[in-house]
Amino acid sequence: MTPNKAIVDSRYDCVPERVSVGRTGVTDRHVDDREGDERRMVLALPDGTQVRLDRDLRIGQSSKNDVTVRDPRISREHCAIELLGRRVILRDLDSTNGTFVNGTRVSSAELLPGALIALGTTRLHVFEEGADAEDAILGESQAVKTMKREIAKLAPARLPVLIHGETGSGKELVALALHRLSGRRGGFVPLNCGSIARELVESELFGHERGAFTGAQTRRQGVFEEAHGGTLFLDEVGELPLALQTRLLRVLETGVVRPVGSSREVAVDVRVVAATHVDLKAAVVDGRFRQDLYYRLVSAVIATPPLRARREDVALLARRFLDELSSEGRGCRLSDAALAKLSAHDWPGNVRELRNVLRRAAVLGGPVIGPEDLALDVAPARFDHEVVRIDRPYLEIEKEILRRAIQRARGSRRAAAHALQIPKSTLCDKAKRYGLDYDEEEVA
């Protein structure tokens, strides 16, 4: 039988309205002579199409692959998915930029439901066939159950959603669940606003025309056009520059985007889900985030609970992560004392920290992980980069406070003075005395 074939375009090329598939189509049913109780999984592509993992597949840029991904950052033949009995194995095919599963670069790994595969800028998600979208969010605690109910209620709405939570608490999984339950036909397009060079953010969001700036050799779609008909996930939205916050607000209000260097406007049907780990209210007060955009984004809010607020889920998560590690040849289990130590920890890095701690223990420890194998962060659970040490002369402390206030206000004297609750003239005098830089061209 002819294998299923799919084509996925990344945002570095023109994106079709849907993934094109081979004659059999990705929804075809096939006779499966393997054992009936086997877990069956599907691979969710960026445009929402699902490919059933019931056969071997190759993924890469070349059209000869079973799944063709048009992303310049992946190789022509990037990776392969192979069936080994009841196991589904992902193998990297000596790709240039690597294959990542759940944030870790792998040469081979067993795929389990909920796995996130990253190839270049493209993300593929693995789900158990017929499972609810929220099943990728592991947890039986009351906090997680409450969050899942909120997701189910908000998913069908067209409202923007703001996901607030600490780093590593699973905000992208919540955004993906909102998309999968929304019924929207388009794809799920993620963009981390904090990981892009400031001069490229506008192009990433809205696209650009050929010749719009140095290096713009071809026309390029932005993520809004790529996500047409689907969901755009703006992670770390609080990192957007103020000028682009204005443009983002306009897109949310009008539903049209204008690529850089273009006079035309493009209508888009996009549901925006944003996420942040910072206090946007404080950012509004500090002048770092627009108040009107803030109120537009907080039409609906979902808070991801930190791991320390759902300690009863630690054992469940640990078992899942150890299952993942066993597929890499690092089979091991936790002793009762080790599990007790994990459950008592505050987890400042949340679920991501738990996964990394177990990975290290599996590599360096024995078949049974004991408490002595667990290297836990002993820093305070809520480490604050804004804390100023006071074991110094007063003038040094004052200079540091002013420097940080001006930095947070992006050079604005008015915003920095407002945050410190001092007159702007006082701030200017002190800044000059300490040789601190600020925006000289700011309107008085």
Side-chain angles (χ1 to χ4, degrees), residues 336-352:
D336 292 342
L339 180 57
K341 184 175 180 178
L342 292 177
S343 300
H345 187 53
D346 269 347
W347 299 110
N350 292 291
V351 178
R352 184 180 296 123

Side-chain angles (χ1 to χ4, degrees), residues 76-152:
R76 289 182 57 80
E77 292 186 352
H78 196 99
C79 63
I81 294 178
E82 302 170 356
L83 304 185
L84 186 61
R86 297 187 179 188
R87 304 169 69 198
V88 179
I89 306 298
L90 176 71
R91 300 190 190 281
D92 181 77
L93 299 177
D94 294 325
S95 64
T96 301
N97 294 320
T99 298
F100 295 78
V101 177
N102 296 328
T104 301
R105 186 167 184 166
V106 299
S107 57
S108 67
E110 182 177 2
L111 295 179
L112 300 174
L116 170 63
I117 304 171
L119 314 174
T121 61
T122 301
R123 301 187 186 189
L124 311 174
H125 300 264
V126 178
F127 297 102
E128 192 164 357
E129 190 174 41
D132 292 334
E134 312 100 301
D135 288 349
I137 304 172
L138 292 179
E140 297 297 332
S141 62
Q142 189 57 49
V144 170
K145 290 179 179 178
T146 298
M147 182 176 68
K148 287 183 176 182
R149 286 195 294 268
E150 293 175 348
I151 292 171

Side-chain angles (χ1 to χ4, degrees), residues 49-329:
T49 304
Q50 295 183 358
V51 177
R52 192 175 174 193
L53 298 181
D54 58 357
R55 57 173 57 82
D56 293 351
L57 298 171
R58 287 206 167 210
I59 303 172
Q61 276 209 73
S62 172
S63 59
K64 296 180 180 180
N65 293 291
D66 302 293
V67 177
T68 301
V69 184
R70 292 175 179 164
D71 180 339
R73 298 184 185 178
I74 76 168
S75 302
R76 289 182 57 80
E77 292 186 352
H78 196 99
C79 63
I81 294 178
E82 302 170 356
L83 304 185
L84 186 61
R86 297 187 179 188
R87 304 169 69 198
V88 179
I89 306 298
L90 176 71
R91 300 190 190 281
D92 181 77
L93 299 177
D94 294 325
S95 64
T96 301
N97 294 320
T99 298
F100 295 78
V101 177
N102 296 328
T104 301
R105 186 167 184 166
V106 299
S107 57
S108 67
E110 182 177 2
L111 295 179
L112 300 174
L116 170 63
I117 304 171
L119 314 174
T121 61
T122 301
R123 301 187 186 189
L124 311 174
H125 300 264
V126 178
F127 297 102
E128 192 164 357
E129 190 174 41
D132 292 334
E134 312 100 301
D135 288 349
I137 304 172
L138 292 179
E140 297 297 332
S141 62
Q142 189 57 49
V144 170
K145 290 179 179 178
T146 298
M147 182 176 68
K148 287 183 176 182
R149 286 195 294 268
E150 293 175 348
I151 292 171
K153 290 179 180 179
L154 290 172
R158 295 180 61 87
L159 293 172
V161 177
L162 179 67
I163 305 170
H164 185 268
E166 297 179 6
T167 298
S169 59
K171 295 187 288 295
E172 182 166 348
L173 286 178
V174 173
L176 184 60
L178 284 167
H179 171 68
R180 294 192 68 216
L181 289 172
S182 70
R184 298 182 65 82
R185 295 178 178 271
F188 175 80
V189 179
L191 178 69
N192 189 319
C193 301
S195 64
I196 305 170
R198 292 175 64 87
E199 61 272 15
L200 297 178
V201 177
E202 185 176 18
S203 173
E204 291 281 346
L205 284 172
F206 311 116
H208 64 251
E209 297 292 345
R210 179 180 179 181
F213 50 84
T214 302
Q217 299 179 352
T218 60
R219 180 184 179 273
R220 173 178 170 182
Q221 285 187 325
V223 290
F224 270 97
E225 286 187 74
E226 184 183 351
H228 179 65
T231 302
L232 174 59
F233 175 50
L234 297 177
D235 198 6
E236 299 303 343
V237 70
E239 300 298 323
L240 278 178
L242 281 170
L244 291 183
Q245 292 175 26
T246 303
R247 291 199 61 186
L248 174 59
L249 177 64
R250 182 176 180 274
V251 175
L252 293 177
E253 292 178 339
T254 65
V256 297
V257 298
R258 177 177 292 177
V260 178
S262 175
S263 59
R264 65 183 179 89
E265 290 189 329
V266 181
V268 291
D269 172 20
V270 175
R271 200 265 186 91
V272 172
V273 176
T276 180
H277 74 282
V278 302
D279 185 347
L280 286 187
K281 284 186 178 180
V284 169
V285 173
D286 292 345
R288 294 178 291 118
F289 201 82
R290 289 184 61 97
Q291 186 179 47
D292 45 9
L293 177 58
Y294 169 78
Y295 284 113
R296 182 78 184 191
L297 291 176
V298 296
S299 300
V301 179
I302 294 177
T304 55
L307 190 52
R308 62 182 172 277
R310 54 185 186 109
R311 296 180 190 275
E312 58 267 50
D313 291 333
V314 170
L316 174 64
L317 291 164
R319 285 196 297 271
R320 167 57 65 86
F321 297 152
L322 290 178
D323 284 346
E324 294 174 359
L325 291 168
S326 67
S327 69
E328 301 174 20

